[in-house]
């Protein structure tokens, strides 16, 4: 070809690429019959991205390129479900299934009822609203009535179509809410945990937690990397698209629209057929490359379903049958005691490796000394272990008849296994705790916590490097990171020039993370990421925060007396003050991300919200308070100066009345800050 193709042909190429990619997505994710290799697929996608970056005006929201994720949100907005998303009643035995069938038949006055039986996917249920065939909103279940708007995250899931296909005879619905389960395939789950282990991040206990954790990310670019998938199992509300008479027809219809429907569902003419089908999958479900925790049994006929209706919690026309957790027996070789970030001593069972539910298990959690005493677990015992939908197995019981002669009851060590310092029993918990400030095991865990992605995001500090830095004495607290020199790093084993440079660059870059992430990274007891953010927003600088009273702290959203006392104790400690000084001298950004201030209209006010707001979400309204110079309180106290009452304000408003605090409506509040219409 000679010369450059002119734009119209580029435009045609772009449209054709989009169509090809969508088709291959469908082949791969929905029909499970890929036609091209992954590199070929990537070539198509890269070409599309290139054309779109040359012509940003051609990018449409449903382009397959948009699956990479759009960027960071401030928070998720609430979405009210038009029809509530209910939950399922569980059964654990065949008898209970037969009893369910009896109830159903009695209610319907029917001799025999047909059921549609599906796998119960162990993930996170979501609702996808399509309008005119396009995905408009995707939401979590939330409390069943209101969920979170996670559209941007769901768009990164490649088996969720951004647009429905109109191949069905019944045609596209004008509006339809598709419901189903987002899940993480086993292979993706294992890969992500391997990565996290390397980075020194806590592991996800099971694919469901990994899915939930991924969907909660505010940055959809992270979600795009997580390789989530989706199965559609039902319809919420629908307008248009023809009549449907059964669950079997519903699934066929969803499939015709291009939604991924699991192929293993089956219509069963009687409860005995249902029982046999459940038994069959109980035997073979572990061969699937995704986790299922049971079966869902639904009355097939939709007219019957409507007749049966629902209780407040769950529909009467369906029920879950949960699989028994798989168990194995193995020898408990010894009990190892690990020391966590806060000094907690956790006993772990080291097992003779044994195959269980698709993986080889060599460790199991024993939780704490009380748990060991309760089960009377001893070193050398033959134990029964189980994975109850968890990847981290538990010791269920000891086979006492197989106990080796002379096995002794286990005693937790009286000293810290890492540093030899004395241990104390935490009065709030059953756990034992090493109190030494210099314990290397704690230091290492604290350093990993400080460096993790959601805290200071120090690239290059994972399990191995953290351990080396602590054991060589180069780092005694996070403050030491910022004075590390290259010559020092080069003394560490397997640390080359390049890794040292990268590590130093990672450390330098982390200086800019801001107050909220620093506060979280410092690992103050009871201060999680959310309260760290609230504290940073309320006080603005580390300097101010370190000097405020416990009372002032409790005025911050989600900070109760226990948290406030813990924060005060942290800042009162001379050791900690030294660390903070080092961080300051290293030039860390110790300020909260600045909110643009709009006015001082709420100067001096401590505002508490109660009831449901109409115009803004709770957090948006709180942000407005801060933007207008006020502070946000969580509960009503003598200090509260203003209560904004939405609908159903309830007990907080009553209390405000008793305390004589001024109560205003949402409208009046908006007017007061000049944000009303
Ligand atoms: S039907 C009333 N079908 O199980 C809810 N649910 O434990 C009826 N689930 O929240 C939903 N696989 O997230 C249905 N094939 C399936 C399912 C399924 C998994 C989930 C769903 C629900 C949870 C209840």
């Amino acid at each position: 070809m000679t010369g450059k193709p002119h734009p119209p042909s580029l435009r045609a190429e772009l449209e054709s690429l989009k169509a090809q990619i969508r088709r291959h997505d469908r082949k791969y994710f929905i029909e499970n019959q890929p036609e091209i290799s992954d590199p070929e697929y990537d070539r198509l996608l890269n070409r599309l991205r290139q054309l779109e970056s040359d012509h940003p005006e051609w990018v449409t929201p449903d382009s397959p390129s948009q699956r990479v994720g759009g960027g960071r949100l401030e928070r998720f907005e609430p979405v009210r479900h038009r029809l509530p998303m209910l939950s399922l009643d569980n059964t654990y035995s065949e008898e209970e299934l037969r009893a369910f069938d009896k109830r159903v038949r009695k209610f319907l006055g029917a001799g025999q009822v047909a059921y549609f039986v599906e796998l119960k996917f162990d993930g996170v249920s979501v609702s996808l609203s399509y309008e005119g065939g396009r995905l408009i909103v995707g939401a979590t279940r939330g409390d069943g009535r209101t969920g979170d708007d996670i559209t941007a995250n769901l768009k990164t899931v490649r088996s969720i179509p951004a647009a429905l296909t109109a191949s069905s005879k019944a045609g596209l619905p004008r509006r339809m809410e598709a419901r189903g389960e987002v899940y993480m395939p086993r292979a993706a789950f294992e890969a992500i945990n391997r990565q996290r282990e390397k980075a020194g991040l806590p592991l996800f206990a099971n694919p469901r937690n990994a899915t939930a954790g991924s969907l909660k990310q505010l940055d959809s670019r992270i979600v795009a990397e997580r390789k989530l998938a989706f199965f559609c199992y039902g319809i919420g509300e629908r307008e248009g698209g023809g009549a449907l008479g059964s669950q079997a027809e519903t699934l066929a219809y969803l499939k015709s629209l291009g939604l991924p429907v699991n192929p293993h569902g089956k219509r069963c003419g009687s409860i005995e057929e249902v029982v046999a089908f459940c038994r069959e999958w109980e035997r073979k479900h572990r061969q699937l490359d995704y986790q299922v925790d049971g079966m869902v049994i639904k009355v097939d006929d939709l007219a019957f379903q409507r007749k049966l209706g629902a209780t407040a919690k769950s529909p009467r026309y369906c029920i879950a049958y949960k699989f028994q957790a798989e168990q194995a027996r193995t020898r408990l070789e010894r009990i190892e005691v690990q020391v966590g970030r806060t000094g907690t001593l956790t006993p772990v069972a080291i097992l003779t490796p044994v195959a269980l539910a698709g993986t080889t298990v060599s460790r199991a959690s024993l939780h704490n000394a009380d748990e060991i005493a309760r089960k009377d677990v001893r070193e050398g015992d033959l134990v029964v272990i189980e994975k109850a939908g968890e990847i981290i197995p538990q010791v269920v019981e000891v086979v006492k008849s197989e106990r080796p002669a002379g096995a002794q009851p286990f005693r937790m060590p009286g000293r810290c296994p890492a540093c030899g310092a004395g241990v104390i029993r935490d009065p709030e918990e059953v756990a034992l705790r090493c109190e030494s400030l210099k314990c290397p095991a704690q230091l290492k865990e604290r350093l990993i916590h400080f460096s993790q992605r959601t805290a200071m995001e120090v690239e290059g500090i994972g399990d191995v490097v953290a351990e080396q830095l602590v054991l060589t004495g180069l780092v005694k607290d996070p403050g030491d990171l910022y004075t590390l020199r290259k010559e020092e790093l080069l003394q560490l084993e397997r640390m080359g020039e390049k890794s040292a440079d990268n590590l130093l660059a990672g450390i330098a870059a982390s200086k800019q993370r801001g107050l909220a992430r620093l506060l979280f990274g410092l690992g103050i007891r009871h201060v999680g990421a959310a309260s760290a953010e609230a504290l940073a927003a309320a006080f603005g600088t580390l300097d101010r925060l370190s000097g405020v009273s416990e009372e002032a702290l409790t005025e911050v959203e989600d900070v109760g007396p226990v948290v406030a006392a813990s924060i005060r104790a942290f800042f009162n400690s001379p050791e900690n003050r030294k660390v903070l000084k080092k961080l300051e001298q290293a030039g860390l950004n110790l300020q909260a991300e600045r909110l643009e201030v709009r006015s001082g209209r709420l100067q001096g006010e401590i505002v508490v919200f109660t009831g449901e707001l109409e115009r803004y979400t709770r957090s948006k309204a709180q942000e407005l308070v801060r933007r207008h110079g006020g502070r946000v309180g969580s509960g009503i106290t003598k200090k509260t100066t203003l209560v904004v009452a939405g609908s159903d304000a309830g007990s907080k408003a009553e209390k405000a009345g008793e305390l004589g605090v001024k109560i205003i409506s949402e409208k009046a509040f908006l007017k007061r800050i000049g944000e009303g219409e």
Side-chain angles (χ1 to χ4, degrees):
M1 217 182 10
T2 55
K4 269 166 92 179
H6 53 84
S9 67
L10 281 180
R11 185 69 202 252
E13 184 189 350
L14 176 124
E15 292 305 329
S16 146
L17 280 166
K18 288 207 288 200
Q20 286 180 61
I21 293 170
R22 281 199 196 111
R23 183 162 163 276
H24 291 304
D25 276 346
R26 204 165 53 242
K27 288 266 160 220
Y28 187 97
F29 289 103
I30 297 168
E31 294 165 22
N32 220 352
Q33 288 172 325
E35 281 177 356
I36 58 172
S37 68
D38 286 357
E40 279 173 296
Y41 178 90
D42 289 340
R43 255 200 304 282
L44 294 177
L45 193 61
N46 286 336
R47 175 67 184 148
L48 173 65
R49 287 197 184 126
Q50 189 200 337
L51 289 179
E52 288 182 339
S53 94
D54 293 347
H55 296 274
E57 71 281 10
W58 291 348
V59 181
T60 57
D62 63 352
S63 165
S65 67
Q66 299 305 297
R67 296 203 189 278
V68 291
R72 209 181 148 76
L73 295 174
E74 283 289 308
R75 65 186 63 81
F76 300 121
E77 295 297 326
V79 182
R80 189 113 182 144
H81 301 302
R82 287 165 165 272
L83 285 178
M85 290 180 81
L86 301 176
S87 61
L88 281 176
D89 277 342
N90 287 327
T91 58
Y92 298 88
S93 69
E94 296 176 356
E95 272 51 63
E96 285 176 284
L97 280 182
R98 294 192 181 99
F100 162 71
D101 172 62
K102 234 188 200 154
R103 282 200 303 277
V104 166
R105 284 187 292 117
K106 185 163 172 215
F107 195 102
L108 295 171
Q112 202 157 65
V113 170
Y115 296 97
F116 198 89
V117 186
E118 299 165 25
L119 299 178
K120 185 170 184 304
F121 318 109
D122 197 9
V124 172
S125 55
V126 299
S127 130
L128 306 171
S129 297
Y130 287 90
E131 275 180 41
R134 307 218 161 258
L135 176 61
I136 305 296
V137 176
T140 59
R141 173 172 182 273
D143 63 4
R145 309 206 159 262
T146 310
D148 283 336
D149 181 342
I150 52 164
T151 314
N153 288 348
L154 290 175
K155 281 190 170 168
T156 71
V157 178
R158 283 168 64 187
S159 49
I160 294 181
L164 298 177
T165 45
S167 65
S168 147
K169 266 194 247 93
L172 278 182
R174 281 187 296 285
R175 221 175 58 180
M176 183 180 84
E177 192 200 330
R179 290 183 176 177
E181 199 89 351
V182 175
Y183 65 95
M184 186 179 282
R186 288 187 209 275
F189 168 73
E190 277 152 25
I192 192 175
N193 262 355
R194 273 196 301 276
Q195 261 176 28
R196 291 175 76 86
E197 190 157 26
K198 261 196 221 139
L201 294 170
L203 302 189
F204 287 118
N206 53 47
R208 174 174 22 89
N209 287 3
T211 307
S214 302
L215 290 179
K216 263 193 242 148
Q217 294 291 326
L218 288 165
D219 188 339
S220 55
R221 282 168 302 198
I222 299 175
V223 190
E225 293 166 10
R226 295 275 170 99
K227 301 218 164 59
L228 298 172
F230 174 69
F231 282 127
C232 191
Y233 55 62
I235 296 179
E237 235 193 13
R238 181 171 68 107
E239 270 175 33
L244 294 169
S246 67
Q247 173 67 3
E249 280 175 34
T250 303
L251 293 179
Y253 177 61
L254 290 167
K255 193 170 168 197
S256 77
L257 295 172
L259 287 155
V261 171
N262 184 269
H264 301 300
K266 183 179 145 186
R267 187 175 185 275
C268 296
S270 70
I271 194 67
E272 287 316 311
E273 219 182 301
V274 170
V275 167
F277 190 56
C278 289
R279 233 185 252 164
E280 177 185 335
W281 275 104
E282 176 123 38
R283 212 177 49 243
K284 61 183 197 189
H285 73 93
R286 290 182 196 90
Q287 295 161 13
L288 294 166
D289 56 13
Y290 43 87
Q291 189 159 309
V292 299
D293 59 342
M295 307 293 284
V296 182
I297 295 99
K298 305 175 180 174
V299 170
D300 190 42
D301 187 312
L302 298 188
F304 279 174
Q305 287 194 3
R306 278 189 291 275
K307 223 167 166 183
L308 283 153
T311 67
K313 217 188 108 240
S314 49
R316 285 195 202 88
Y317 55 81
C318 63
I319 201 153
Y321 170 78
K322 302 272 281 218
F323 294 144
Q324 300 276 316
E326 203 190 346
Q327 297 187 334
R329 284 177 170 206
T330 188
R331 199 55 74 178
L332 185 155
E333 296 179 353
R334 65 199 152 80
I335 296 174
E336 202 174 275
V337 177
Q338 295 179 343
V339 187
R341 167 165 68 87
T342 55
T344 312
L345 268 48
T346 309
V348 177
I350 308 298
L351 308 165
T352 306
V354 60
L356 176 64
T359 55
T360 303
V361 176
S362 55
R363 302 161 80 81
S365 169
L366 289 167
H367 304 287
N368 54 52
D370 286 10
E371 194 61 18
I372 295 182
R374 198 172 60 77
K375 293 182 183 152
D376 187 19
V377 180
R378 304 184 185 185
E379 290 183 324
D381 269 344
L382 187 71
V383 291
V384 177
I385 58 168
E386 174 180 292
K387 279 190 195 173
E390 309 292 309
I391 289 301
I392 297 161
Q394 316 285 318
V395 172
V396 186
E397 60 178 358
V398 171
V399 186
K400 294 263 172 70
S401 57
E402 300 276 331
R403 172 165 284 167
Q408 294 298 314
F410 180 74
R411 298 241 326 258
M412 285 291 276
R415 306 203 148 268
C416 171
C419 70
V423 294
I424 56 145
R425 199 174 173 112
D426 191 316
E428 287 169 40
E429 302 162 23
V430 281
L432 292 176
R433 192 179 295 288
C434 164
E435 283 288 272
S436 166
L437 285 169
K438 300 200 161 63
C439 172
Q442 288 181 56
L443 284 179
K444 173 185 154 192
E445 296 303 324
R446 259 185 264 149
L447 203 54
I448 289 172
H449 173 83
F450 183 85
S451 309
Q452 69 182 304
R453 200 163 177 167
T454 44
M456 295 297 274
E457 198 175 357
V458 187
E459 223 166 292
I461 299 199
D463 199 55
V464 177
V465 174
E467 182 159 317
Q468 288 179 317
L469 291 173
V470 169
L471 291 183
T472 50
L474 285 174
V475 172
K476 296 194 183 62
D477 60 61
D480 290 342
L481 282 180
Y482 297 94
T483 48
L484 282 171
R485 284 173 297 123
K486 190 167 168 185
E487 308 85 83
E488 292 172 325
L489 290 179
L490 288 173
Q491 293 162 18
L492 302 180
E493 222 173 289
R494 282 200 291 277
M495 177 71 73
E497 286 270 340
K498 188 143 192 257
S499 318
D501 285 338
N502 286 346
L503 183 53
L504 288 173
I507 293 171
S510 74
K511 291 184 185 177
Q512 289 314 317
R513 304 286 179 241
L515 182 59
R517 288 171 68 178
L518 174 65
L519 282 178
F520 174 53
L522 287 172
I524 305 169
R525 288 195 76 193
H526 306 297
V527 176
S531 31
E533 238 169 75
L535 287 161
F539 299 103
T541 66
L542 185 69
D543 203 39
R544 276 189 66 197
L545 175 64
S546 65
V548 292
S549 68
E550 265 181 61
E551 217 184 347
L553 285 166
T554 51
E555 279 156 18
V556 175
E557 179 85 353
D558 290 333
V559 176
V562 176
V563 188
S566 159
I567 297 170
R568 248 324 343 126
F570 180 89
F571 286 112
N572 284 347
S573 141
E575 288 277 339
N576 291 338
R577 285 194 175 264
K578 267 189 229 154
V579 176
L580 297 176
K581 192 95 215 146
K582 284 190 211 172
L583 295 174
E584 188 188 338
Q585 280 165 354
L588 263 73
N589 171 8
L590 304 177
Q591 312 248 329
E593 264 183 83
R594 265 228 202 285
L595 274 184
E596 162 230 347
V597 175
R598 294 191 187 157
S599 82
R601 291 176 190 219
L602 296 177
Q603 197 70 50
E605 302 276 20
I606 297 177
V607 185
V608 172
F609 289 90
T610 174
E612 203 161 322
L613 302 180
E614 248 169 40
R615 170 111 173 250
Y616 292 107
T617 59
R618 184 65 74 88
S619 52
K620 185 86 197 155
Q622 290 167 345
E623 185 187 307
L624 283 171
V625 171
R626 297 186 187 111
R627 282 186 192 280
H628 291 278
R631 278 196 287 158
V632 177
S634 55
I636 294 169
T637 65
K638 284 177 288 184
K639 292 275 178 83
T640 313
T641 60
L642 193 60
V643 170
V644 180
S647 52
D648 302 327
S651 66
K652 272 197 191 172
E654 262 169 45
K655 182 162 180 203
E658 283 163 24
L659 287 172
V661 180
K662 187 168 172 191
I663 308 177
I664 61 173
S665 68
E666 178 182 0
K667 224 173 173 174
F669 164 72
L670 294 174
K671 203 159 159 215
R672 164 125 187 229
I673 57 174
E675 306 259 349
E677 50 281 77

